[in-house]
Amino acid sequence: MVKNMIVFLLLLLGAVMNDTSARDVISFNTGWQFKKGPFSTDPMRASAQWDGKWEEVTIPHTWNAKDMQVKADAFYEGVGYYRKKQFFGNELAGKRVFLRFEGVGACTEVYVNGKLVGTHKGGYSAFAFEIGTALKLGAENEIIVKADNTARPDVIPVNHSLFGVYGGIYRPVWLITTEQNNITVTDCASPGVYITQKNVSRRSADITVKVKLDNGSLAPAQLVLENSIYTQEGKKVVSQRLPLELTPQGTQSYVSTFKLKNPHLWQGREDPYLYKVVSRLLANGEVIDEVTQPLGVRHYEIVAGKGFYLNGEKYPMYGVTRHQDWWGLGSALTNREHDFDLAQIMDVGATTVRFAHYQRCDTLGLIIWAEIPFVNRVTGYESENAQTQLRELIRQSFNHPSIYVWGLHNEVYQPHEYTASLTQSLHDLAKTEDPDRYTVAVNGYGHANHPVNQNTDIQGMNRYFGWYEKKVQDIKPWVEGLEKDYPWQKLMLTEYGADANLDHQTEYLGDALNWGKPYYPETFQTKTHEYQWSVIAEHPYIIASYLWNMFDFAVPMWSRGGVPARNLKGLMTFDRKIKKDSYYWYKANWSKSPVLYLTQRRNTDRERKQTSVTVYSNIGTPKVYLNGKELTGIRKGYTDVHYIFDQVTLEKGKNKIKAVAVYNGKEYVDEIEWDYQSEKKRDADAHENKNGSMNNPEG
């Protein structure tokens, strides 16, 4: 489905397996066995456990696909083992062999024939190990992967509180074979190629291609590095060859510079045009290694108080956030699930995505915020790992034109001094690795002078007015106060919204809902988004906004809103089967696709005889009929797509509501049915509208 609407290849996980003829890149995802640990420390018992029954699995795989999603605080965190027996032939003699893992939750040890070939800490970045010296050629080899998703104070995230870190090899594995001299595979599992761009305009752009090369032999080699830029259609634009002597002492970097004349710019969703950069390593005139990377020529600029600019033009930042897990699958997704999610994000009309608390990247014309999982709590032991994960994120995702900012932390506070200092060091690291992109950190308190703020280029703030604090309408004085007092601040509203359990429906709504109560009506979520988006749209001081969340997701430590282990703030349900009313609110406001939608279609058991009817329409003023009779007295709501009929009187029994609009000569129709029997009063406790806690953990 998504392939029909997207011209470009989805680049998953911050790096892409290269389209290359000179190196072999083979899927390594079948033939695995799995066994859940931990094993006893007693040698006899451990041996029996190891030799017992193993489960046949295919990668991606997680052992938490169900237990993290059905009951609060009742999931397995710990060790799991994977093993695979693979024959490696003698044709690999003289070659270099690597295993590249796109993601393992969360700490990993990899053994080949009993030899440790590498370890990795962090569940959301790729890693690659060279395994050739541990292989037995012409024989069967055993590969063991030990994965452990136990929360640790020295590995971010340090707990499972806001989302679960699923255990297992939950992203694909690749077997990579190269010659002795290659474009490096093990530089933080990056492509080994780094593309930067300066002085971008429609007249020209300065492009620099840095390639890291590695000599695995014991002698220098006379080689040629060729870097070429091709159009999307495959025409070579420019090329440069660099003769070099590659020594075996460490990784060497080589740089080519180009000036593109009249470049075809990457213009977001409107025109996500991609060149490609092909880096080839040649020996004696033959290509011995090759890596292809995307090049989207573009320039980002953020102007405080005014907005986001793409290639010198103001660009709307309609933002959603995404957690990747699916009901029944956990995080072990195939491209089919990723494609589906991206299709929904495109359909709703989003222009920017915050891949929340872990890294994901694509090139769909979306503007991307990529983030490390430094979230919720600090321990004082995570500094080194946070820096390592940030370095991996940047190097693996460096060439994606869609990424405009590196996210450094989300809602981490005490001790303030430690957190502020660590944020500063992360900012410095990001600017050293990538001087041309922005950095951002996120605070949940909502005031600019909080002790951990102002340590990054952009200040993000999470605000849940009406849900965790105050009233829905308090978003307006909040933003206007910041606008007045901190006009220089580059501010983004990085989370907002409310939970919605589709089994909870009511017409009785106040201006705040106590999140601590078990009643989470969809209608309150709809009300929150209707009003708060209207305020955001009127305030360019909010450079970008990111609603929380595109999809419901698992929170294994929670039991709220009548559904254990679930965050219900999504615009779509966890199983992706139902789009909530709020989904269509944003689609009507953001998308260019025609939308005609009657709200409260699940609130069928009506409580009031005299009620209101709301329609979202971006195709003009609709006509609405109740039981065949046209309603009158239509008025505009918060935005131009918001239409409301007040004082609508229902008949006893079934009531059919029909909305009709004509756009470009085509008639659009939407129909729902309500049932009214008698005036009802809901349980007072269920509708008690008290303010929630100010400092509740994020949505």
Side-chain angles (χ1 to χ4, degrees):
M1 173 173 56
V2 83
K3 291 178 182 177
N4 295 328
M5 62 183 291
I6 299 169
V7 178
F8 305 107
L9 175 67
L10 169 63
L11 302 181
L12 293 175
L13 317 173
V16 64
M17 300 316 300
N18 304 288
D19 177 16
T20 163
S21 57
R23 64 168 59 180
D24 289 328
V25 181
I26 301 169
S27 173
F28 207 64
N29 298 311
T30 59
W32 289 90
Q33 296 178 309
F34 168 72
K35 177 175 285 222
K36 189 184 293 186
F39 293 162
S40 172
T41 56
D42 178 85
M44 295 300 295
R45 291 186 61 194
S47 176
Q49 290 173 317
W50 187 261
D51 293 333
K53 184 175 175 58
W54 288 68
E55 175 188 355
E56 303 290 332
V57 298
T58 297
I59 306 303
H61 174 266
T62 176
W63 61 72
N64 294 125
K66 294 182 180 179
D67 65 356
M68 252 189 189
Q69 302 182 344
V70 296
K71 189 176 180 181
D73 199 16
F75 61 94
Y76 175 71
E77 62 170 322
V79 173
Y81 295 92
Y82 294 84
R83 73 179 181 185
K84 177 180 170 73
K85 294 184 178 179
Q86 179 78 18
F87 180 85
F88 288 89
N90 290 313
E91 70 274 7
L92 294 179
K95 302 281 189 179
R96 301 179 69 180
V97 184
F98 305 84
L99 279 179
R100 187 179 191 277
F101 296 81
E102 291 193 5
V104 179
C107 295
T108 315
E109 299 171 12
V110 179
Y111 299 84
V112 176
N113 298 322
K115 297 178 180 179
L116 177 67
V117 296
T119 65
H120 184 259
K121 296 177 182 178
Y124 301 111
S125 52
F127 54 94
F129 302 138
E130 188 163 6
I131 66 170
T133 56
L135 293 176
K136 301 173 184 176
L137 299 185
E140 187 176 69
N141 293 256
E142 184 180 61
I143 298 168
I144 300 291
V145 178
K146 177 184 177 183
D148 188 349
N149 70 330
T150 304
R152 294 171 45 158
D154 61 331
V155 178
I156 58 172
V158 299
N159 58 34
H160 297 274
S161 295
L162 296 185
F163 56 92
V165 180
Y166 290 84
I169 309 176
Y170 72 94
R171 290 175 180 164
V173 184
W174 303 90
L175 181 70
I176 302 173
T177 305
T178 75
E179 301 294 339
Q180 286 295 314
N181 299 300
N182 63 17
I183 299 170
T184 185
V185 178
T186 55
D187 182 32
C188 291
S190 75
V193 177
Y194 299 89
I195 306 166
T196 56
Q197 44 190 294
K198 301 280 189 182
N199 306 315
V200 173
S201 71
R202 298 192 182 278
R203 293 187 299 275
S204 66
D206 297 329
I207 307 298
T208 299
V209 180
K210 182 173 76 171
V211 182
K212 293 187 176 182
L213 302 180
D214 189 22
N215 184 337
S217 73
L218 295 178
Q222 301 300 318
L223 305 171
V224 174
L225 175 64
E226 179 186 85
N227 288 309
S228 302
I229 300 178
Y230 294 82
T231 65
Q232 185 169 284
E233 296 74 25
K235 180 182 177 181
K236 184 186 289 187
V237 180
V238 289
S239 186
Q240 186 180 104
R241 285 194 167 194
L242 299 173
L244 57 96
E245 181 181 76
L246 185 62
T247 66
Q249 285 89 16
T251 300
Q252 311 293 323
S253 295
Y254 297 88
V255 175
S256 295
T257 58
F258 305 96
K259 184 176 285 290
L260 284 184
K261 295 182 179 179
N262 303 313
H264 189 149
L265 298 183
W266 188 92
Q267 193 59 41
R269 287 190 54 153
E270 179 184 314
D271 185 13
Y273 187 89
L274 286 181
Y275 294 87
K276 67 177 180 179
V277 174
V278 181
S279 300
R280 297 183 179 98
L281 191 61
L282 297 92
N284 300 318
E286 298 291 327
V287 177
I288 61 171
D289 201 7
E290 181 178 313
V291 168
T292 299
Q293 286 293 290
L295 167 60
V297 182
R298 84 293 180 265
H299 174 66
Y300 296 134
E301 184 181 9
I302 294 172
V303 181
K306 293 184 177 180
F308 185 93
Y309 292 81
L310 173 60
N311 301 324
E313 300 174 5
K314 191 169 181 180
Y315 194 79
M317 295 289 275
Y318 303 150
V320 299
T321 52
R322 180 197 184 227
H323 274 290
Q324 67 183 355
D325 54 337
W326 275 50
W327 171 250
L329 297 175
S331 59
L333 308 183
T334 67
N335 281 352
R336 183 177 67 85
E337 290 82 35
H338 291 303
D339 288 349
F340 181 89
D341 279 5
L342 288 165
Q344 310 316 302
I345 290 170
M346 297 292 282
D347 180 66
V348 81
T351 61
T352 180
V353 184
R354 179 186 178 198
F355 286 123
H357 316 324
Y358 49 74
Q359 57 199 67
R360 293 201 41 82
C361 182
D362 59 15
T363 53
L364 308 176
L366 296 166
I367 308 294
I368 301 299
W369 164 325
E371 182 169 339
I372 60 171
F374 185 24
V375 57
N376 181 237
R377 293 289 183 271
V378 295
T379 64
Y381 299 98
E382 68 276 84
S383 176
E384 181 179 351
N385 183 252
Q387 294 184 58
T388 297
Q389 291 199 42
L390 179 61
R391 185 179 297 108
E392 291 173 334
L393 170 62
I394 294 173
R395 293 190 187 181
Q396 291 169 25
S397 306
F398 192 90
N399 298 326
H400 294 299
S402 53
I403 297 179
Y404 78 99
V405 68
W406 304 117
L408 305 187
H409 77 66
N410 180 84
E411 292 189 351
V412 287
Y413 307 118
Q414 296 284 1
H416 294 152
E417 295 77 10
Y418 169 82
T419 304
S421 176
L422 178 50
T423 306
Q424 290 170 1
S425 69
L426 292 170
H427 169 82
D428 289 344
L429 173 61
K431 290 300 185 180
T432 301
E433 291 281 333
D434 182 10
D436 298 325
R437 285 187 175 95
Y438 292 99
T439 62
V440 63
V442 176
N443 196 302
Y445 283 90
H447 50 271
N449 61 349
H450 189 276
V452 304
N453 283 359
Q454 313 307 335
N455 292 308
T456 53
D457 298 325
I458 301 165
Q459 184 59 57
M461 295 189 188
N462 299 338
R463 312 307 297 138
Y464 289 95
F465 292 108
W467 189 251
Y468 291 138
E469 59 168 308
K470 300 183 179 180
K471 296 181 179 180
V472 170
Q473 296 82 1
D474 284 317
I475 186 174
K476 188 172 183 178
W478 168 74
V479 67
E480 290 178 348
L482 288 174
E483 211 168 26
K484 176 177 177 292
D485 296 335
Y486 302 93
W488 49 267
Q489 181 176 235
K490 295 181 177 72
L491 178 80
M492 293 186 178
L493 178 58
T494 42
E495 293 178 26
Y496 68 101
D499 287 73
N501 183 336
L502 298 190
D503 291 333
H504 299 170
Q505 302 288 340
T506 183
E507 296 177 74
Y508 291 96
L509 296 173
D511 294 328
L513 194 145
N514 187 344
W515 65 270
K517 298 292 183 180
Y519 192 69
Y520 285 8
E522 180 188 10
T523 42
F524 186 82
Q525 183 196 59
T526 306
K527 174 178 179 174
T528 299
H529 283 294
E530 285 177 346
Y531 179 77
Q532 296 192 352
W533 168 249
S534 73
V535 174
I536 294 165
E538 292 175 351
H539 290 81
Y541 180 76
I542 300 176
I543 292 161
S545 61
Y546 293 90
L547 64 86
W548 191 268
N549 197 284
M550 188 67 198
F551 309 100
D552 290 350
F553 61 94
V555 187
M557 310 300 288
W558 286 15
S559 185
R560 300 181 184 177
V563 182
R566 188 75 51 83
N567 188 306
L568 298 164
K569 292 186 181 67
L571 302 186
M572 291 182 68
T573 53
F574 199 10
D575 59 11
R576 273 58 166 181
K577 291 183 178 179
I578 300 176
K579 298 172 180 176
K580 303 177 188 180
D581 283 354
S582 295
Y583 180 101
Y584 292 96
W585 168 247
Y586 287 103
K587 184 174 181 179
N589 278 283
W590 294 351
S591 175
K592 295 179 181 178
S593 300
V595 175
L596 181 71
Y597 182 82
L598 286 158
T599 70
Q600 298 194 52
R601 60 211 311 112
R602 281 166 292 276
N603 190 15
T604 55
D605 184 15
R606 305 304 291 184
E607 301 153 302
R608 293 172 170 170
K609 183 177 181 64
Q610 201 166 67
T611 188
S612 62
V613 174
T614 298
V615 188
Y616 304 148
S617 171
N618 63 5
I619 54 176
T621 304
K623 291 185 177 181
V624 178
Y625 301 86
L626 174 63
N627 299 323
K629 182 179 179 181
E630 185 175 355
L631 296 176
T632 60
I634 191 171
R635 67 177 176 88
K636 280 284 187 74
Y638 293 125
T639 72
D640 286 340
V641 305
H642 194 197
Y643 297 90
I644 302 169
F645 294 85
D646 297 310
Q647 305 300 313
V648 175
T649 302
L650 301 180
E651 297 177 2
K652 188 172 184 179
K654 300 296 182 183
N655 290 264
K656 294 185 178 181
I657 303 169
K658 179 179 179 180
V660 180
V662 178
Y663 179 69
N664 286 342
K666 180 180 178 181
E667 183 179 78
Y668 293 83
V669 178
D670 192 28
E671 297 178 280
I672 62 175
E673 187 176 275
W674 289 344
D675 183 74
Y676 173 74
Q677 295 299 330
S678 61
E679 199 80 10
K680 302 184 184 79
K681 297 292 185 183
R682 290 292 190 189
D683 179 79
D685 185 61
H687 292 278
E688 185 180 13
N689 290 313
K690 294 181 179 178
N691 294 340
S693 170
M694 176 71 172
N695 187 26
N696 185 71
E698 96 181 42

